[in-house]
Amino acid sequence: MPLNQQQGYSNMEASYSNQAFNSSAWLEKEQKRSRRSKWIVIGTVLAIVVLVAVGIAVGVTVGKSHSSSSTKSSSSSSSSSAVNQTDPNDPSTFEKDSRLIKSFWGIAYTPEGSQYPDCGNKLEDVITDIQLLSQLTDQIRLYGADCNQTALVLEAIKQTKVNMTVWLGNYPIPTDPAPYERQRDAMIDAIKTYGTDHISGITVGNEYILNWLNANGATDPNSAIGNTGAQMLLTNITDTRNAVTALNLGKTIPIGTADAGSYFNTELLQNVDFGMSNIHAWFANVSIDQAAGWVNEFFQETNVALATSLTNQPKMYIAETGWPTASKDVGNESNGPSTATEPNLQTFLDTFVCQANNNGTGYFFFEYFDETWKDAQFGGVEGHWGLFYSNRTLKDITIPTC
Ligand SMILES: *[C@@H]1O[C@H](CO)[C@@H](O)[C@H](O)[C@H]1NC(C)=O
Ligand SMILES: *[C@@H]1O[C@H](CO)[C@@H](O)[C@H](O)[C@H]1NC(C)=O
Ligand SMILES: *[C@@H]1O[C@H](CO)[C@@H](O)[C@H](O)[C@H]1NC(C)=O
Ligand SMILES: *[C@@H]1O[C@H](CO)[C@@H](O)[C@H](O)[C@H]1NC(C)=O
Ligand SMILES: *[C@@H]1O[C@H](CO)[C@@H](O)[C@H](O)[C@H]1NC(C)=O
Ligand SMILES: *[C@@H]1O[C@H](CO)[C@@H](O)[C@H](O)[C@H]1NC(C)=O
Ligand SMILES: *[C@@H]1O[C@H](CO)[C@@H](O)[C@H](O)[C@H]1NC(C)=O
Ligand SMILES: *[C@@H]1O[C@H](CO)[C@@H](O)[C@H](O)[C@H]1NC(C)=O
């Protein structure tokens, strides 16, 4: 049974009902807590993180069953005015925006109109996105490979001639083999067409273990249920490895998986080249002033520490971290200690980006722009994590110079 929206919310409510967690109390008490109990507390709270990315999985599954009555707005905002080109026929002649500074290690990106089967994405929009993104970072991460997004992004990089690499993604659904295979085939085709010069790695799985545990009423990623899910995902990871190896590329592409911060299965991590961890201070009700430090501490103590203890030493990255700037409804505008506002996003940018760069942390800032389909489908803050609004206008923020 695919994870649905209801399960996502009930999971969130279960987490909310755990009142043990409160950010400032947590920070005060953390030294007194044992590592184990702290892990459990964070694990419970971090379950909420599921919503941000599950949105995408739900987009896939809900879209499949109600493809004609989709609530997704394809309100495509014209992107033609977001970036000017000296030569309208040559996307590499785009004008730079002085407000954009290449300070980010990486940025999370989903092209507009990439939820299967609705799709609707357009190369011209992806070109605009890559023109903007390339002024902020040298690498982006995709979540899935549906709706030809892999080829569109690689084509846009080719036409804009920017220095950009991509971490490709395959977003499998535990209970349905078709989405995995469809995305694998699209990805392999794109690699055959565009080569590997602009590919940094391939992520198979996005919050797969978290979704699998939720769907099976479990919470511990290393329980028997968690291990079963890990073996299922490993089947797909091995399959991708074999498919890429068969291309004889003369280059090894790292293959890993992404999950919510507290949901890394050890057997899975032992068999991948890298792990990417979603870490959101917002969903853990951490105040904006403590957010950047909390994200770093969580990442080091939970994810890096686990990876370091394994024989294969998988490289760990932060797959998503950021701060929302608005909520669809007033009720969800606050996470408890802090509100979803542009000044708070500014604070997070000012306290996280250059500091994480200096600390040598690989991270993908979440995210490029506001996603209108998430706002329509999930409400709350889900559709408002962008550096840009959905119309590709920069929010009222100043990009830090590192
Ligand atoms: C594009 O050029 C027009 C005309 O010069 C200008 O009004 C507009 O602000 C420019 N847009 C951007 C995003 O630079
Ligand atoms: C291109 O991006 C890579 C990181 O992906 C970076 O190491 C390199 O310095 C960049 N090159 C230029 C010319 O900016
Ligand atoms: C996918 O995108 C590429 C690049 O724009 C294009 O050449 C190709 O025809 C597209 N494939 C499909 C099936 O739309
Ligand atoms: C992918 O994993 C699913 C289980 O999640 C499995 O049913 C399917 O056979 C796998 N496909 C491949 C090609 O590995
Ligand atoms: C960077 O490292 C310092 C020293 O360990 C730490 O205090 C800070 O929270 C870290 N910040 C980030 C964003 O990684
Ligand atoms: C987080 O804050 C919300 C809104 O104030 C509250 O309903 C929820 O119980 C809090 N969750 C936790 C885990 O403290
Ligand atoms: C918004 O708040 C309501 C009630 O406080 C809650 O039931 C709902 O799940 C929240 N929505 C999101 C997306 O957080
Ligand atoms: C883009 O959207 C924002 C937020 O809705 C709005 O304030 C801004 O005026 C829009 N910009 C353009 C160029 O339409």
Side-chain angles (χ1 to χ4, degrees), residues 1 36 51 107 123 139 162 172 176 189 201 206 263 274 338 376:
M1 181 182 59
R36 175 78 183 148
L51 267 180
I107 296 180
L123 179 61
Q139 54 192 330
V162 297
D176 180 0
D189 277 352
N206 186 63
Y263 287 85
F274 64 86
S338 304

Side-chain angles (χ1 to χ4, degrees), residues 15-16 18-19 21-22 45 48 285 334-336:
S15 300
Y16 273 174
N18 179 347
Q19 296 299 323
F21 190 92
N22 160 294
V45 171
I48 304 166
N285 286 12
S334 161
N335 68 351

Side-chain angles (χ1 to χ4, degrees), residues 123 148 151-152 155 194:
L123 179 61
N148 202 26
L152 289 174
E155 177 66 26
Y194 296 97

Side-chain angles (χ1 to χ4, degrees), residues 37-363:
S37 65
K38 180 173 153 191
W39 191 89
I40 291 167
V41 172
I42 296 173
T44 310
V45 171
L46 264 248
I48 304 166
V49 170
V50 63
L51 267 180
V52 168
V54 154
I56 296 164
V58 174
V60 171
T61 53
V62 171
K64 261 172 67 181
S65 37
H66 312 283
S67 53
S68 54
S69 65
S70 172
T71 54
K72 283 164 222 148
S73 84
S74 46
S75 69
S76 190
S77 17
S78 161
S79 62
S80 51
S81 59
V83 179
N84 286 331
Q85 286 175 198
T86 319
D87 176 354
N89 296 318
D90 183 353
S92 73
T93 63
F94 64 95
E95 288 171 10
K96 300 278 163 57
D97 182 333
S98 60
R99 297 169 305 165
L100 305 183
I101 299 161
K102 223 184 233 195
S103 294
F104 296 86
W105 192 89
I107 296 180
Y109 171 55
T110 299
E112 181 178 355
S114 299
Q115 283 72 51
Y116 188 87
D118 293 21
C119 300
N121 51 21
K122 295 198 274 302
L123 179 61
E124 75 176 286
D125 286 341
V126 178
I127 285 175
T128 301
D129 295 340
I130 295 297
Q131 289 169 331
L132 292 171
L133 281 161
S134 67
Q135 298 176 63
L136 295 166
T137 187
D138 286 330
Q139 54 192 330
I140 54 175
R141 124 166 228 253
L142 296 173
Y143 289 81
D146 269 329
C147 308
N148 202 26
Q149 59 183 290
T150 312
L152 289 174
V153 167
L154 292 170
E155 177 66 26
I157 291 171
K158 184 177 166 189
Q159 292 196 24
T160 53
K161 303 191 172 82
V162 297
N163 184 35
M164 175 77 83
T165 62
V166 193
W167 296 74
L168 305 180
N170 186 326
Y171 200 136
I173 306 297
T175 45
D176 180 0
Y180 165 76
E181 288 167 20
R182 185 176 69 223
Q183 293 175 81
R184 174 203 59 199
D185 293 348
M187 197 185 284
I188 294 295
D189 277 352
I191 295 174
K192 282 184 189 159
T193 305
Y194 296 97
T196 58
D197 286 356
H198 296 279
I199 298 174
S200 287
I202 297 174
T203 306
V204 180
N206 186 63
E207 301 200 332
Y208 185 100
I209 297 296
L210 174 56
N211 294 347
W212 171 252
L213 292 175
N214 281 342
N216 289 282
T219 52
D220 178 356
N222 290 304
S223 61
I225 292 176
N227 288 339
T228 301
Q231 291 309 317
M232 288 167 63
L233 180 54
L234 269 174
T235 309
N236 290 172
I237 290 174
T238 303
D239 179 71
T240 293
R241 233 186 249 292
N242 293 341
V244 171
T245 304
L247 295 176
N248 282 315
L249 301 166
K251 167 183 169 182
T252 306
I253 300 180
I255 298 178
T257 193
D259 222 304
S262 302
Y263 287 85
F264 282 93
N265 173 279
T266 304
E267 292 177 12
L268 180 57
L269 215 44
Q270 258 157 3
N271 287 285
V272 290
D273 301 320
F274 64 86
M276 288 193 183
S277 172
N278 292 343
I279 309 177
H280 288 291
W282 167 268
F283 287 113
N285 286 12
V286 175
S287 75
I288 185 60
D289 293 335
Q290 296 163 337
W294 182 87
V295 169
N296 175 61
E297 194 178 327
F298 181 90
F299 179 58
Q300 300 300 336
E301 295 190 359
T302 307
N303 303 135
V304 175
L306 172 58
T308 307
S309 74
L310 303 178
T311 47
N312 63 322
Q313 302 275 300
K315 180 100 181 100
M316 299 304 284
Y317 303 98
I318 297 177
E320 286 186 353
T321 194
W323 195 270
T325 59
S327 172
K328 191 177 189 180
D329 59 300
V330 176
N332 291 300
E333 197 166 77
S334 161
N335 68 351
S338 304
T339 48
T341 61
E342 292 182 20
N344 281 344
L345 171 58
Q346 184 67 57
T347 300
F348 193 70
L349 288 166
D350 292 342
T351 52
F352 183 81
V353 174
C354 302
Q355 293 81 345
N357 295 349
N358 288 338
N359 289 352
T361 304
Y363 64 89

